[in-house]
Structures are given as structure tokens and as C-alpha cells.
């Protein structure tokens, strides 16, 4: 499913966001649990598209709520930086999509790490081979790439969903 999703988007490889989509879209208990917690294929697709196509702004990866909790207004910081250094340049135009080649798409480093971590997770639990629940738990718990902002935008707690995937699925 991850490969099909990457191909449908015209992406050159399979990333962790494609694995997340596959978890949300799975017709198994793993997918059911994910959807119960709000991780839906449409939600992942919408947020992936938003993150990949929106114009980038200064400090996009900064948690505005966390800064506000300690008295820092992120919008005021953006304005001050722009006033001092000038406006942020427009984002570079997106690269043209590569032509689709037959066969399997390559897997990004982060997605490969998720697959390896799923095998390790299963091993720690005394299970072999790794199952979709192990992969789902690892993907949901990943710290980089598009997965954390997708989950945040959907209002999903990664630790809560990770625990549910491991506890409630075979």
C-alpha cells in the first residue's frame, strides 16, 4: 500500500508518510485501531499534501504552543527577524517529478529505519516475523520526517496510538 500511495503521488520513493498512510488504510485490525484513534487515510493524505505543497515560513518546525507557554510569541519573533534581516525569500520551485519506472520504488532512509526498527520491536517482544502492528507502532513513533507534523495536525498522540497498536492488535 505504501508503494501504491507513493506512486499515486508521483513520489520517487517510499517514505515514512507512505508507511503511515498504509497503516491508516490497512484492512486489518491494525488499520481499525489506527482509525479509531483518528488516523484515517484521508487525514494522512490531506496533511501530507498540505505539508508538501504549502509555502514554507520562517520557524515552521517550531512548536508555537510550547514557546507561548514560556512567554514567547512566535509571530512577533517572525516579524522581528523579517524587519531586521528582510523578508524571507519565496520557496524554490518544486522539482519536476521523475518519470515512473517499472518495478519497486526505492525506500528512503527513514522508511528503511522504520522497517528495521519494526523487526527489532518484534524481537524484543519475542515474536517473529514482525507484524503490521510492530511496523505501525514504529512508524507512529518516528521522530523525523512528515509523520510527527501529520499526527500533530490530526490531533493524535503518537505515544497513545503506539501503545494501542501494540496492545490491541495481534
Amino acid at each position: 500500500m505504501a508503494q501504491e500511495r507513493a506512486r499515486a503521488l508521483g513520489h520517487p520513493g517510499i517514505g515514512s508518510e507512505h508507511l503511515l498512510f498504509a497503516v491508516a488504510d490497512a484492512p486489518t485490525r491494525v488499520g481499525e485501531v489506527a482509525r479509531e484513534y483518528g488516523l484515517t487515510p484521508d487525514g494522512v493524505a490531506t496533511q501530507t499534501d498540505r505539508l508538501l505543497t504549502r509555502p514554507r515560513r520562517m520557524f515552521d518546525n517550531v512548536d508555537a504552543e510550547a514557546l507561548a507557554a514560556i512567554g514567547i510569541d512566535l509571530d512577533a519573533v517572525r516579524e522581528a527577524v523579517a524587519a531586521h534581516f528582510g523578508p524571507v525569500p519565496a520557496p524554490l520551485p518544486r522539482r519536476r517529478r521523475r518519470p515512473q519506472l517499472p518495478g519497486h520504488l526505492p525506500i528512503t532512509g527513514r522508511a528503511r529505519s522504520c522497517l528495521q526498527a519494526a523487526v527489532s520491536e518484534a524481537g524484543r517482544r519475542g515474536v517473529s516475523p514482525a507484524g503490521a502492528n510492530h511496523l505501525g507502532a514504529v512508524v507512529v513513533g518516528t521522530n523525523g520526517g512528515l509523520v510527527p507534523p501529520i499526527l500533530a495536525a490530526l490531533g493524535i498522540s503518537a505515544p497513545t496510538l503506539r501503545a494501542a497498536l501494540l496492545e490491541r492488535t495481534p
Side-chain angles (χ1 to χ4, degrees):
M1 281 190 272
Q3 179 166 261
E4 289 172 12
R5 182 69 187 155
R7 282 193 189 283
L9 294 172
H11 293 173
I14 299 168
S16 56
E17 67 276 14
H18 305 114
L19 295 175
L20 185 67
F21 180 87
V23 169
D25 199 36
T28 62
R29 182 73 181 135
V30 170
E32 290 172 11
V33 170
R35 290 186 294 277
E36 283 176 30
Y37 281 79
L39 185 66
T40 65
D42 287 342
V44 173
T46 299
Q47 294 307 317
T48 299
D49 186 52
R50 178 186 66 84
L51 291 166
L52 291 177
T53 59
R54 71 185 170 133
R56 303 241 185 249
R57 293 184 349 161
M58 219 179 336
F59 310 114
D60 264 353
N61 294 330
V62 175
D63 187 342
E65 291 178 19
L67 290 175
I70 59 171
I72 298 172
D73 180 352
L74 184 56
D75 289 329
V77 172
R78 281 187 179 115
E79 290 172 13
V81 170
H84 187 71
F85 295 104
V88 177
L92 296 173
R94 293 185 58 117
R95 293 181 289 166
R96 288 192 300 156
R97 301 206 189 269
R98 296 179 190 160
Q100 292 296 316
L101 300 175
H104 294 289
L105 292 177
I107 299 173
T108 66
R110 185 167 286 114
R112 185 176 313 282
S113 294
C114 286
L115 295 170
Q116 292 167 340
V119 172
S120 296
E121 179 73 37
R124 278 193 299 278
R125 294 176 177 278
V127 178
S128 182
N133 58 333
H134 303 112
L135 180 59
V138 167
V139 170
V140 165
T142 193
N143 290 324
L146 295 179
V147 171
I150 289 170
L151 294 175
L154 296 173
I156 298 170
S157 163
T160 302
L161 179 53
R162 174 180 160 70
L165 288 169
L166 291 171
E167 293 168 7
R168 297 182 49 206
T169 58

mmCIF file of all heavy atoms in Angstrom, residues 110-129:
data_model
loop_
_atom_site.group_PDB
_atom_site.id
_atom_site.type_symbol
_atom_site.label_atom_id
_atom_site.label_comp_id
_atom_site.label_asym_id
_atom_site.label_seq_id
_atom_site.Cartn_x
_atom_site.Cartn_y
_atom_site.Cartn_z
ATOM 1 N N ARG A 110 14.713 6.972 6.157
ATOM 2 C CA ARG A 110 13.840 6.981 7.333
ATOM 3 C C ARG A 110 12.865 5.806 7.289
ATOM 4 O O ARG A 110 12.625 5.146 8.291
ATOM 5 C CB ARG A 110 13.091 8.307 7.426
ATOM 6 C CG ARG A 110 12.263 8.407 8.680
ATOM 7 C CD ARG A 110 11.756 9.808 8.950
ATOM 8 N NE ARG A 110 12.838 10.648 9.429
ATOM 9 C CZ ARG A 110 13.332 11.692 8.762
ATOM 10 N NH1 ARG A 110 12.829 12.053 7.620
ATOM 11 N NH2 ARG A 110 14.315 12.402 9.276
ATOM 12 N N ALA A 111 12.293 5.525 6.122
ATOM 13 C CA ALA A 111 11.368 4.393 5.995
ATOM 14 C C ALA A 111 12.111 3.076 6.218
ATOM 15 O O ALA A 111 11.587 2.161 6.869
ATOM 16 C CB ALA A 111 10.684 4.406 4.630
ATOM 17 N N ARG A 112 13.329 2.987 5.717
ATOM 18 C CA ARG A 112 14.126 1.771 5.936
ATOM 19 C C ARG A 112 14.408 1.588 7.433
ATOM 20 O O ARG A 112 14.322 0.479 7.965
ATOM 21 C CB ARG A 112 15.443 1.858 5.158
ATOM 22 C CG ARG A 112 16.267 0.581 5.226
ATOM 23 C CD ARG A 112 17.528 0.658 4.374
ATOM 24 N NE ARG A 112 17.314 1.162 3.034
ATOM 25 C CZ ARG A 112 16.809 0.463 2.017
ATOM 26 N NH1 ARG A 112 16.459 -0.781 2.211
ATOM 27 N NH2 ARG A 112 16.664 1.008 0.830
ATOM 28 N N SER A 113 14.691 2.686 8.114
ATOM 29 C CA SER A 113 14.917 2.613 9.566
ATOM 30 C C SER A 113 13.658 2.136 10.280
ATOM 31 O O SER A 113 13.745 1.377 11.255
ATOM 32 C CB SER A 113 15.325 3.988 10.108
ATOM 33 O OG SER A 113 16.578 4.359 9.602
ATOM 34 N N CYS A 114 12.501 2.561 9.818
ATOM 35 C CA CYS A 114 11.230 2.107 10.413
ATOM 36 C C CYS A 114 11.067 0.606 10.225
ATOM 37 O O CYS A 114 10.663 -0.106 11.156
ATOM 38 C CB CYS A 114 10.043 2.841 9.782
ATOM 39 S SG CYS A 114 9.862 4.558 10.300
ATOM 40 N N LEU A 115 11.374 0.113 9.036
ATOM 41 C CA LEU A 115 11.242 -1.323 8.772
ATOM 42 C C LEU A 115 12.191 -2.121 9.666
ATOM 43 O O LEU A 115 11.804 -3.146 10.243
ATOM 44 C CB LEU A 115 11.507 -1.614 7.295
ATOM 45 C CG LEU A 115 10.499 -1.019 6.317
ATOM 46 C CD1 LEU A 115 10.995 -1.174 4.881
ATOM 47 C CD2 LEU A 115 9.128 -1.641 6.492
ATOM 48 N N GLN A 116 13.421 -1.632 9.806
ATOM 49 C CA GLN A 116 14.392 -2.321 10.664
ATOM 50 C C GLN A 116 13.971 -2.265 12.129
ATOM 51 O O GLN A 116 14.091 -3.247 12.866
ATOM 52 C CB GLN A 116 15.780 -1.710 10.472
ATOM 53 C CG GLN A 116 16.355 -1.988 9.107
ATOM 54 C CD GLN A 116 17.578 -1.151 8.781
ATOM 55 O OE1 GLN A 116 17.822 -0.109 9.379
ATOM 56 N NE2 GLN A 116 18.349 -1.606 7.791
ATOM 57 N N ALA A 117 13.447 -1.112 12.554
ATOM 58 C CA ALA A 117 13.006 -0.957 13.945
ATOM 59 C C ALA A 117 11.796 -1.855 14.236
ATOM 60 O O ALA A 117 11.634 -2.337 15.362
ATOM 61 C CB ALA A 117 12.675 0.502 14.236
ATOM 62 N N ALA A 118 10.947 -2.097 13.240
ATOM 63 C CA ALA A 118 9.797 -2.987 13.428
ATOM 64 C C ALA A 118 10.269 -4.409 13.704
ATOM 65 O O ALA A 118 9.715 -5.102 14.564
ATOM 66 C CB ALA A 118 8.882 -2.956 12.207
ATOM 67 N N VAL A 119 11.315 -4.845 13.016
ATOM 68 C CA VAL A 119 11.882 -6.176 13.254
ATOM 69 C C VAL A 119 12.454 -6.239 14.671
ATOM 70 O O VAL A 119 12.240 -7.213 15.399
ATOM 71 C CB VAL A 119 12.954 -6.512 12.192
ATOM 72 C CG1 VAL A 119 13.690 -7.790 12.545
ATOM 73 C CG2 VAL A 119 12.318 -6.614 10.814
ATOM 74 N N SER A 120 13.148 -5.174 15.084
ATOM 75 C CA SER A 120 13.701 -5.128 16.440
ATOM 76 C C SER A 120 12.596 -5.127 17.490
ATOM 77 O O SER A 120 12.695 -5.797 18.525
ATOM 78 C CB SER A 120 14.572 -3.878 16.616
ATOM 79 O OG SER A 120 15.677 -3.927 15.757
ATOM 80 N N GLU A 121 11.530 -4.357 17.227
ATOM 81 C CA GLU A 121 10.387 -4.298 18.157
ATOM 82 C C GLU A 121 9.776 -5.685 18.330
ATOM 83 O O GLU A 121 9.481 -6.113 19.448
ATOM 84 C CB GLU A 121 9.338 -3.324 17.627
ATOM 85 C CG GLU A 121 8.108 -3.187 18.481
ATOM 86 C CD GLU A 121 8.349 -2.413 19.771
ATOM 87 O OE1 GLU A 121 9.121 -1.444 19.748
ATOM 88 O OE2 GLU A 121 7.770 -2.806 20.800
ATOM 89 N N ALA A 122 9.594 -6.403 17.241
ATOM 90 C CA ALA A 122 9.035 -7.757 17.313
ATOM 91 C C ALA A 122 9.975 -8.664 18.089
ATOM 92 O O ALA A 122 9.525 -9.463 18.933
ATOM 93 C CB ALA A 122 8.798 -8.300 15.910
ATOM 94 N N GLY A 123 11.264 -8.545 17.848
ATOM 95 C CA GLY A 123 12.240 -9.361 18.556
ATOM 96 C C GLY A 123 12.214 -9.121 20.054
ATOM 97 O O GLY A 123 12.300 -10.061 20.852
ATOM 98 N N ARG A 124 12.088 -7.851 20.458
ATOM 99 C CA ARG A 124 12.002 -7.528 21.891
ATOM 100 C C ARG A 124 10.773 -8.158 22.534
ATOM 101 O O ARG A 124 10.762 -8.469 23.718
ATOM 102 C CB ARG A 124 11.951 -6.012 22.093
ATOM 103 C CG ARG A 124 13.284 -5.328 22.066
ATOM 104 C CD ARG A 124 13.200 -3.902 22.573
ATOM 105 N NE ARG A 124 12.326 -3.047 21.789
ATOM 106 C CZ ARG A 124 12.664 -2.444 20.659
ATOM 107 N NH1 ARG A 124 13.869 -2.625 20.166
ATOM 108 N NH2 ARG A 124 11.814 -1.676 20.019
ATOM 109 N N ARG A 125 9.741 -8.350 21.737
ATOM 110 C CA ARG A 125 8.505 -8.928 22.259
ATOM 111 C C ARG A 125 8.466 -10.447 22.053
ATOM 112 O O ARG A 125 7.447 -11.080 22.310
ATOM 113 C CB ARG A 125 7.304 -8.262 21.592
ATOM 114 C CG ARG A 125 7.206 -6.800 21.980
ATOM 115 C CD ARG A 125 6.101 -6.069 21.277
ATOM 116 N NE ARG A 125 6.031 -4.708 21.751
ATOM 117 C CZ ARG A 125 5.416 -4.308 22.861
ATOM 118 N NH1 ARG A 125 4.798 -5.179 23.614
ATOM 119 N NH2 ARG A 125 5.424 -3.050 23.205
ATOM 120 N N GLY A 126 9.568 -11.014 21.536
ATOM 121 C CA GLY A 126 9.646 -12.453 21.349
ATOM 122 C C GLY A 126 8.799 -12.973 20.203
ATOM 123 O O GLY A 126 8.342 -14.110 20.233
ATOM 124 N N VAL A 127 8.583 -12.139 19.194
ATOM 125 C CA VAL A 127 7.747 -12.508 18.057
ATOM 126 C C VAL A 127 8.595 -12.472 16.788
ATOM 127 O O VAL A 127 9.438 -11.612 16.612
ATOM 128 C CB VAL A 127 6.568 -11.509 17.899
ATOM 129 C CG1 VAL A 127 5.716 -11.853 16.708
ATOM 130 C CG2 VAL A 127 5.739 -11.463 19.159
ATOM 131 N N SER A 128 8.333 -13.422 15.918
ATOM 132 C CA SER A 128 8.990 -13.413 14.620
ATOM 133 C C SER A 128 8.042 -14.050 13.628
ATOM 134 O O SER A 128 7.426 -15.071 13.939
ATOM 135 C CB SER A 128 10.299 -14.197 14.669
ATOM 136 O OG SER A 128 10.939 -14.137 13.417
ATOM 137 N N PRO A 129 7.836 -13.497 12.491
ATOM 138 C CA PRO A 129 8.387 -12.251 11.971
ATOM 139 C C PRO A 129 7.623 -11.046 12.515
ATOM 140 O O PRO A 129 6.591 -11.184 13.178
ATOM 141 C CB PRO A 129 8.171 -12.377 10.463
ATOM 142 C CG PRO A 129 6.927 -13.203 10.334
ATOM 143 C CD PRO A 129 6.982 -14.169 11.507
#
